[in-house]
Amino acid sequence: MQLDDLYRQVIMDHYQHPRNQGILAGDALQVDLRNPSCGDEITLQLQVEDGIVKDVRFHGAGCSISMASASMMTEAIKGKPVAEAMKIAKEFHAMLRGEPEEKEEDDLGDLESLHGVSKFPARIKCAALAWEALEKAVRSRGVEE
Ligand code: FES
């Protein structure tokens, strides 16, 4: 199997079976973000306790890339310190810009499947949408990093 096919399968799996999709009950940080170029939207909710992302949910209407990226993001950051979540976000943005990984151990797991998006500038915004929501949530409430 070609790597591209494998990556496509990973993306479709997250799109068809999104992880952490839904709504968090109780008090949660919430950010609604819209991709101005297409009108697609995402709502991201974070429950942060003692600087740790205890829980995270998303819902929205978007293309397969945006929804798969959101699903992968929730898996990547759940249970992690906010500072580490921000570091993953930074590495993910660098990957979307086509920059090489800084260190070999910077393995982004399923997120690596979105590497090919870097070749399609129009889709970069799709893949970045959920991450921008994450960064906005962290910045807006001054959640400690
Ligand atoms: Fe709208 Fe991808 S086309 S987020």
Side-chain angles (χ1 to χ4, degrees):
M1 186 191 293
Q2 299 281 321
L3 194 58
D4 279 357
D5 290 335
L6 178 68
Y7 282 169
R8 205 167 299 124
Q9 277 188 12
V10 173
I11 292 167
M12 287 317 287
D13 180 53
H14 276 272
Y15 178 55
Q16 289 165 347
H17 310 284
R19 315 328 186 235
N20 302 302
Q21 189 180 44
I23 296 171
L24 275 180
D27 213 13
L29 275 174
Q30 179 170 321
V31 165
D32 305 294
L33 209 59
R34 188 169 169 269
N35 182 346
S37 56
C38 63
D40 288 343
E41 292 176 326
I42 187 167
T43 296
L44 181 72
Q45 290 181 302
L46 289 178
Q47 190 192 341
V48 177
E49 278 173 37
D50 301 326
I52 306 281
V53 180
K54 287 275 181 207
D55 211 349
V56 52
R57 293 278 190 287
F58 80 97
H59 62 275
C63 64
S64 54
I65 298 283
S66 67
M67 294 293 108
S69 183
S71 169
M72 292 178 203
M73 181 196 75
T74 62
E75 278 200 322
I77 67 166
K78 195 169 171 177
K80 301 251 170 66
V82 172
E84 198 176 330
M86 292 295 98
K87 185 170 167 277
I88 297 168
K90 204 170 144 214
E91 286 167 4
F92 183 70
H93 285 305
M95 185 184 81
L96 289 183
R97 288 192 298 269
E99 294 170 12
E101 287 171 15
E102 278 178 25
K103 298 186 223 100
E104 237 163 67
E105 66 264 27
D106 287 345
D107 180 7
L108 289 171
D110 280 1
L111 290 164
E112 302 267 356
S113 67
L114 291 164
H115 188 268
V117 171
S118 64
K119 296 191 211 96
F120 303 95
R123 307 310 302 275
I124 290 176
K125 186 81 185 163
C126 305
L129 190 64
W131 298 82
E132 286 168 7
L134 169 67
E135 290 160 331
K136 192 174 169 192
V138 169
R139 264 186 265 119
S140 68
R141 297 291 182 89
V143 178
E144 70 272 31
E145 287 185 41

